[in-house]
Amino acid sequence: MRGVTRLFGASVALRAIDVDFEPGPITFVQGPNGAGKSTLLSIVGTALKPSKGTVVYAPHGTSRSEARRHIGWVAHDSHCYGELSGRENVEMAARIHGLEPKQAWKAVCARVQADRFAEQAVATLSRGQRQRIALARALVNSPSVLLLDEPLTGLDVASVQRMEKILVEERDRGTIVIVINHTAGMAERLQGRTIFMQQGRIERIEEPAAVT
């Protein structure tokens, strides 16, 4: 991202952001409400366009449509179709990516351990179960970039551990993982890189000492 600014009317959500995201340590984005974290994630995820500046997706250049094929996203809300089952939501995503839906579902279901509630309508699932379905959907295309907006909110200890395990697996696979995070200690546990934001600007970036 080079010189990325995002305006909403007269309001400035991001101010001349210069930052690179590469495979390696998980990147955690922190800051108070209104700091610009979700706007940053939305621009990386191609849901929003910058008002000024450039986003380059190597090796695809500035093509947002091409980049979108390689992005997985877990939003703060699951954004799944509530009347469909978890399996049906993930299989729909697989079809969009041109994948064989049953095989794709089988692979991600095992990773997120969703088999017990896979056939239930998403609207009937708990917060943690919905997050697992949303994560399965985000992973179905083996993304190069995985974006997560406060993924641990409302999860129990076992669900947090499962989520963190998958994030580490994706990091080790070479995925660029970017997480908006308010969970104390998570960046330290996962030896992540932390971007601190304030009023639409990046205040500082803390790199980890090492990744094991």
Side-chain angles (χ1 to χ4, degrees), residues 195-208:
I195 294 175
F196 295 91
M197 296 190 67
Q198 179 77 34
Q199 296 181 338
R201 294 187 175 92
I202 293 178
E203 285 196 322
R204 70 184 190 279
I205 300 176
E206 293 184 359
E207 301 288 347

Side-chain angles (χ1 to χ4, degrees), residues 78 80-90 105 108-137 155-156 158-159 162-163 166:
S78 73
C80 291
Y81 291 96
E83 69 275 16
L84 299 181
S85 70
R87 176 185 57 76
E88 288 169 333
N89 270 279
V90 176
W105 162 250
V108 293
C109 177
R111 291 190 69 187
V112 303
Q113 299 178 11
D115 53 308
R116 182 172 56 83
F117 50 85
E119 302 304 327
Q120 292 178 231
V122 167
T124 69
L125 300 179
S126 69
R127 160 78 179 168
Q129 290 169 337
R130 290 196 304 272
Q131 281 295 84
R132 279 195 255 173
I133 295 300
L135 181 59
R137 185 182 58 185
L155 301 189
D156 60 23
S159 296
R162 186 180 298 108
M163 178 74 76
I166 290 173

Side-chain angles (χ1 to χ4, degrees), residues 1-129:
M1 305 179 79
R2 291 293 177 268
V4 170
T5 294
R6 175 66 197 197
L7 307 173
F8 292 99
S11 229
V12 184
L14 291 181
R15 304 169 187 268
I17 297 293
D18 290 324
V19 66
D20 296 323
F21 299 101
E22 299 177 346
I26 297 169
T27 297
F28 294 92
V29 183
Q30 296 184 196
N33 291 339
K37 304 182 300 296
S38 292
T39 302
L40 177 72
L41 209 68
S42 294
I43 289 176
V44 174
T46 75
L48 288 176
K49 291 182 179 180
S51 302
K52 299 178 183 177
T54 307
V55 182
V56 177
Y57 301 89
H60 307 295
T62 58
S63 172
R64 295 166 71 248
S65 59
E66 182 62 29
R68 198 171 288 134
R69 298 174 51 237
H70 304 278
I71 294 171
W73 199 340
V74 180
H76 186 60
D77 186 348
S78 73
H79 294 302
C80 291
Y81 291 96
E83 69 275 16
L84 299 181
S85 70
R87 176 185 57 76
E88 288 169 333
N89 270 279
V90 176
E91 289 184 353
M92 180 185 296
R95 290 188 188 94
I96 291 171
H97 287 289
L99 304 172
E100 202 292 312
K102 287 186 170 39
Q103 291 179 3
W105 162 250
K106 184 177 179 182
V108 293
C109 177
R111 291 190 69 187
V112 303
Q113 299 178 11
D115 53 308
R116 182 172 56 83
F117 50 85
E119 302 304 327
Q120 292 178 231
V122 167
T124 69
L125 300 179
S126 69
R127 160 78 179 168
Q129 290 169 337

Side-chain angles (χ1 to χ4, degrees), residues 162-189:
R162 186 180 298 108
M163 178 74 76
E164 290 186 355
K165 178 177 181 291
I166 290 173
L167 296 187
V168 170
E169 290 171 352
E170 288 300 299
R171 177 200 71 191
D172 293 347
R173 189 174 69 83
T175 306
I176 297 170
V177 182
I178 307 172
V179 183
I180 293 178
N181 175 52
H182 290 299
T183 304
M186 185 181 182
E188 291 76 15
R189 282 196 305 276

